[in-house]
Amino acid sequence: MRLPFASLPLALGLIFLGAPAAAQEGGALSPRVVEEAAVPSVMTQAVDGFIIPGYRDLAQATNALSEASAALCKSPSEAALEAARSAFSDVVETWSTIEIIRLGPALEQNRFERFLFYPDRKSTGLKQVQAILANKDESAARAENLKGKSVAVQGLGALEFVLYGTGAEALSGENGGFRCRYGLAVSENLRSIAGEFLAEWEKPDGIQAAWKEPGPGNPLFRDNKEAATALLGVLVHSVEMIKDQRLRPFYAGTVDGKPDKGHPKLAIYWRSANTMPAISASFSALHRLFDTAGMERLLPADSRSIAGSIDFLFKALIAAADRIEGPVGAALADERQRATLDFIALNTADLLDRLNREFGGSIGLGAGFSFADGD
């Protein structure tokens, strides 16, 4: 169950008990607590070095997409369609970098789901997009109208179908007028939402202040422990999301003891061949957040090796994801690339465990606590 961001301290922060963690040699137990003095600096670095720059990049990418979409509608051609598709892929990569911050402004006004509606388990969104295109619903061809429509028809999934789905070839000629106008409306809507994300995080007295200054009067974090818990929760829940929502739907490795043939059309961004670039971008983002914020400083001095093992896993996962090129369906048909997917799945689970239990346990999370279990 997803919790509102304001509830995170209540659900997560109270488990900093300073309780004994892993057993040491000889059976003795050593208490583990977060290095609280480092927390304000770590949170500040997360905001100034990762979150705000990430939303600035998203604002720039969506602006470029909107311009490319407008150019396509004005002068349709193969080159203009390719430029719009390239700008779309840039937005997917940029969004996959910052979507890990699924809290605060992202949860307000359905901004996250309006930007990316996924998973679409019953193809509800796809059917709605197809209906708009089939009926040439002009009310969907204006960005200001999209905000009041289903979240499934106003974000990246809808635009991917416009640019790559059945009938997309019409965009390069004169017969793609309505389809292009709808795609332009979606791109302008994405630009608007990206601007809202950035504006909310750039407010000096808004959420960035709450992140940087934990304390009794803070509406989000009453102390440093709650703040550190929420930051670690970003990493834990994001790795869990990659494992369960990005990898598992299209490839489980084995099912009932038998090799999984894979389900490429259940993969996110399968039409545009952005599945693995998006996964790589998310791993890279988590790695960058971990390093930029200096989360190693939250660990007791004798537990800093945990950060080294996490760093190693991030690098291995990014390199593996980058080795899988092209459509995910082709990767599933190739034995070597399937082995790489197996490697990614196995090590994603390992990374989740190291963040959730080793890092969490070393900064004082109560025995038996598990982010991944939602405790």
Side-chain angles (χ1 to χ4, degrees):
M1 180 181 70
R2 189 183 70 201
L3 295 167
F5 180 69
S7 300
L8 278 173
L10 295 177
L12 302 177
L14 295 179
I15 45 66
F16 269 93
L17 305 176
Q24 307 297 308
E25 290 185 12
L29 292 173
S30 174
R32 291 287 185 264
V33 294
V34 65
E35 294 292 329
E36 290 196 50
V39 172
S41 175
V42 169
M43 299 298 285
T44 296
Q45 284 295 102
V47 172
D48 293 343
F50 178 83
I51 297 175
I52 292 178
Y55 281 124
R56 285 175 180 159
D57 289 344
L58 184 65
Q60 292 174 0
T62 53
N63 185 62
L65 173 62
S66 181
E67 291 178 351
S69 298
L72 173 62
C73 294
K74 183 178 180 180
S75 302
S77 68
E78 288 289 344
L81 176 56
E82 182 56 35
R85 287 173 168 174
S86 178
F88 172 82
S89 294
D90 288 344
V91 171
V92 167
E93 181 176 354
T94 309
W95 168 250
S96 299
T97 296
I98 199 62
E99 72 168 321
I100 65 173
I101 307 299
R102 192 169 183 172
L103 39 75
L107 299 185
E108 298 166 359
Q109 301 178 26
N110 292 324
R111 289 189 183 103
F112 191 100
E113 288 77 12
R114 288 168 56 213
F115 207 100
L116 175 64
F117 178 71
Y118 183 85
D120 183 10
R121 293 186 176 88
K122 297 182 179 180
S123 298
T124 302
L126 173 61
K127 293 173 184 176
Q128 291 175 354
V129 171
Q130 290 172 326
I132 286 173
L133 293 172
N135 298 327
K136 295 187 177 180
D137 180 1
E138 288 292 344
S139 70
R142 297 178 64 86
E144 57 267 29
N145 294 338
L146 282 178
K147 187 174 182 179
K149 292 184 178 293
S150 165
V151 296
V153 304
Q154 54 178 298
L156 288 175
L159 187 54
E160 184 185 37
F161 188 84
V162 168
L163 292 172
Y164 295 89
T166 304
E169 63 278 359
L171 290 170
S172 62
E174 298 299 328
N175 295 328
F178 173 77
R179 189 182 190 112
C180 198
R181 291 198 305 278
Y182 172 47
L184 174 59
V186 175
S187 69
E188 290 175 341
N189 185 58
L190 292 171
R191 180 177 63 182
S192 177
I193 299 170
E196 292 172 10
F197 281 132
L198 181 58
E200 289 298 316
W201 275 97
E202 284 188 328
K203 290 179 181 177
D205 58 349
I207 188 171
Q208 68 160 286
W211 270 53
K212 293 176 180 179
E213 301 170 6
N218 189 313
L220 298 182
F221 307 126
R222 291 169 297 178
D223 56 36
N224 290 329
K225 296 174 182 178
E226 290 186 354
T229 304
L231 181 58
L232 178 58
V234 168
L235 274 77
V236 170
H237 290 305
S238 295
V239 173
E240 185 179 30
M241 176 272 291
I242 294 170
K243 179 174 72 74
D244 294 338
Q245 293 186 13
R246 298 298 190 263
L247 292 168
R248 186 175 293 170
F250 76 88
Y251 184 66
T254 58
V255 177
D256 297 329
K258 299 179 181 179
D260 180 18
K261 295 181 180 179
H263 311 276
K265 291 186 179 181
L266 295 182
I268 192 170
Y269 308 126
W270 67 269
R271 289 183 176 87
S272 59
N274 277 308
T275 302
M276 295 312 298
I279 289 173
S280 176
S282 291
F283 277 131
S284 296
L286 290 164
H287 188 208
R288 189 156 66 251
L289 174 59
F290 188 83
D291 286 349
T292 299
M295 290 183 67
E296 176 181 329
R297 291 179 289 156
L298 300 177
L299 293 164
D302 62 352
S303 299
R304 296 286 170 88
S305 61
I306 293 171
S309 64
I310 290 171
D311 183 77
F312 177 84
L313 278 172
F314 272 130
K315 291 177 179 177
L317 284 164
I318 294 164
D322 287 343
R323 287 198 297 272
I324 298 180
E325 300 179 348
V328 71
L332 290 170
D334 180 85
E335 184 176 348
R336 180 175 296 180
Q337 296 207 72
R338 286 171 68 92
T340 301
L341 286 170
D342 288 336
F343 174 88
I344 293 171
L346 178 64
N347 284 277
T348 299
D350 187 14
L351 176 61
L352 179 61
D353 188 69
R354 289 179 187 274
L355 287 166
N356 185 40
R357 301 185 187 279
E358 293 188 14
F359 195 106
S362 290
I363 62 174
L365 296 182
F369 175 81
S370 170
F371 280 101
D373 293 338
D375 293 346

